[in-house]
Amino acid sequence: MSKKQKTYIGILVVLVIAFLITKIDNNVEKRIQFFQADSAKIASIEISNIKDTLKISKLNGIWKIVSPFEKEANEYQIQNIFTKVLNVKASNLPISENEDSFNTYRVTNSQGTLLRFLDKNDNMLDEVIVGKSSSSKTTPVRRPNENKIFKLEENINYIVTTNTDDWREKTILEIEDYNISKISVLSEISAYELTPSDSVWNYADGKSSLIVSLNNKALLDVLTKLTQLKVNGFVNYEYEVYKEKLAMPSIEIGIELLDGSNHYVRLAMDKDPKYVMQLDNNEEFLYSVYQDWVDIFTKEAMDFK
């Protein structure tokens, strides 16, 4: 046998051994980080099912819902994607490679939820179909062009949802209290104004006026609610449903700012104890709050003493 033949045989043996090692290694169960997207490159996240599609993108450093409408995204949900979803573990061995199992684990194109990660040029970084199983602690998933179904070690269904209410930021207005020049409140039981003056506030209701300490609880409650105006829920594209109620609101709140701008909040009873809220006469996006929010503003002079 020539030296050249021996060399070829040696190379062949090495390749066979390498193949066998790889084959054996692939059949050894290991825990892996399932998602392959580089978090630093993710610029958009798409979540879709047979009915809806939601797209969130990072614009000028801020994560926003860009479809089906444009609104600031909930920071907590974004953190869940990057800290929980992208870091979720799974076995490297699939729980099934049989297409007949797609229905069992609800990872068909029509039953599952498609999760896609895109870079700034809309190039695909990773995509999976998220299914459901009988376990509340795990999640079956598969990649669209593969039959392999893997089991994630955590339930991510509550995060990977197309429900825009879950993704919207519930703080809809932020104001610094030192920028407020006047707060006007008109409700079914009271009407009053609050205006700042040096280190105190003034209360007036047409019958009486008084100086309000910065430590007054009623004042602090009002300022807390208006400087971080947070809602409980969202009412999209239903203005016509509430038009008549909002024309005769239960309470109206005006906020005037030092720069001459202002905000206007109108609330009408929906179904006790829920109210529908309109901000700055916007007819596309309404909100919902509860009775305890309204109670903060239905005050009288004695509450500010």
Side-chain angles (χ1 to χ4, degrees):
M1 186 179 294
S2 68
K3 185 176 180 181
K4 190 173 184 181
Q5 288 175 317
K6 290 180 180 179
T7 301
Y8 286 148
I9 291 172
I11 293 172
L12 180 61
V13 170
V14 170
L15 290 174
V16 170
I17 292 172
F19 172 78
L20 291 173
I21 291 173
T22 302
K23 188 78 172 176
I24 293 170
D25 189 55
N26 285 340
N27 289 320
V28 174
E29 186 170 18
K30 296 179 293 186
R31 292 175 73 244
I32 60 169
Q33 184 169 311
F34 181 77
F35 287 95
Q36 300 170 354
D38 182 348
S39 60
K41 294 182 179 180
I42 296 174
S44 293
I45 303 163
E46 284 186 359
I47 305 172
S48 60
N49 57 32
I50 196 170
K51 293 181 179 179
D52 302 299
T53 297
L54 173 75
K55 185 172 183 179
I56 306 114
S57 297
K58 195 171 187 179
L59 305 174
N60 298 319
I62 299 173
W63 283 96
K64 289 187 175 183
I65 299 170
V66 294
S67 179
F69 47 73
E70 187 168 323
K71 287 286 181 181
E72 190 168 338
N74 184 296
E75 186 176 333
Y76 179 72
Q77 280 289 83
I78 296 296
Q79 288 176 351
N80 278 340
I81 289 288
F82 283 90
T83 61
K84 295 184 179 180
V85 173
L86 286 175
N87 292 323
V88 71
K89 302 290 184 181
S91 169
N92 65 311
L93 302 179
I95 56 175
S96 176
E97 296 185 52
N98 191 334
E99 192 171 341
D100 293 338
S101 298
F102 286 10
N103 283 319
T104 302
Y105 295 104
R106 299 177 68 180
V107 289
T108 64
N109 293 337
S110 60
Q111 291 174 311
T113 299
L114 180 63
L115 172 63
R116 307 171 77 210
F117 296 102
L118 310 169
D119 67 13
K120 63 181 180 180
N121 297 315
D122 270 352
N123 295 315
M124 187 73 64
L125 298 175
D126 201 0
E127 63 175 341
V128 300
I129 296 174
V130 180
K132 291 183 180 179
S133 70
S134 57
S135 171
S136 61
K137 296 182 179 179
T138 61
T139 311
V141 294
R142 76 173 178 91
R143 291 194 161 84
N145 297 319
E146 298 180 9
N147 285 354
K148 293 180 180 180
I149 303 171
F150 295 88
K151 182 170 69 175
L152 304 183
E153 294 180 356
E154 294 183 31
N155 185 349
I156 64 169
N157 280 290
Y158 73 100
I159 302 173
V160 183
T161 171
T162 59
N163 187 343
T164 56
D165 285 7
D166 292 333
W167 284 95
R168 286 181 64 180
E169 177 56 60
K170 286 186 167 60
T171 300
I172 62 170
L173 181 65
E174 293 183 274
I175 305 171
E176 298 293 347
D177 57 4
Y178 55 76
N179 283 330
I180 298 174
S181 60
K182 184 167 71 173
I183 298 170
S184 303
V185 178
L186 176 63
S187 74
E188 296 169 333
I189 64 172
S190 63
Y192 60 88
E193 291 182 350
L194 294 166
T195 54
S197 177
D198 297 325
S199 58
V200 296
W201 283 70
N202 296 313
Y203 168 93
D205 61 13
K207 297 178 181 178
S208 59
S209 60
L210 52 92
I211 294 175
V212 186
S213 165
L214 292 177
N215 295 321
N216 178 270
K217 185 179 183 306
L219 174 64
L220 290 174
D221 287 345
V222 167
L223 292 177
T224 298
K225 287 295 183 186
L226 294 183
T227 54
Q228 291 280 331
L229 205 170
K230 193 170 185 177
V231 298
N232 297 105
F234 306 95
V235 184
N236 303 326
Y237 311 118
E238 293 188 38
Y239 176 72
E240 290 301 320
V241 175
Y242 298 100
K243 184 177 181 179
E244 290 186 14
K245 288 184 176 182
L246 288 168
M248 299 289 289
S250 303
I251 186 169
E252 299 173 84
I253 304 167
I255 311 163
E256 297 181 22
L257 305 180
L258 293 174
D259 63 5
S261 62
N262 58 76
H263 295 285
Y264 181 61
V265 181
R266 182 186 284 119
L267 296 108
M269 175 67 77
D270 184 9
K271 294 179 181 178
D272 192 21
K274 186 185 288 187
Y275 286 75
V276 62
M277 173 190 289
Q278 184 182 34
L279 175 63
D280 294 336
N281 296 313
N282 189 302
E283 296 182 3
E284 280 190 295
F285 302 108
L286 306 178
Y287 309 93
S288 62
V289 295
Y290 289 94
Q291 185 68 52
D292 58 345
W293 198 97
V294 175
D295 290 343
I296 295 295
F297 297 91
T298 52
K299 302 296 184 181
E300 298 179 345
M302 66 177 67
D303 297 303
F304 292 96
K305 289 183 178 179

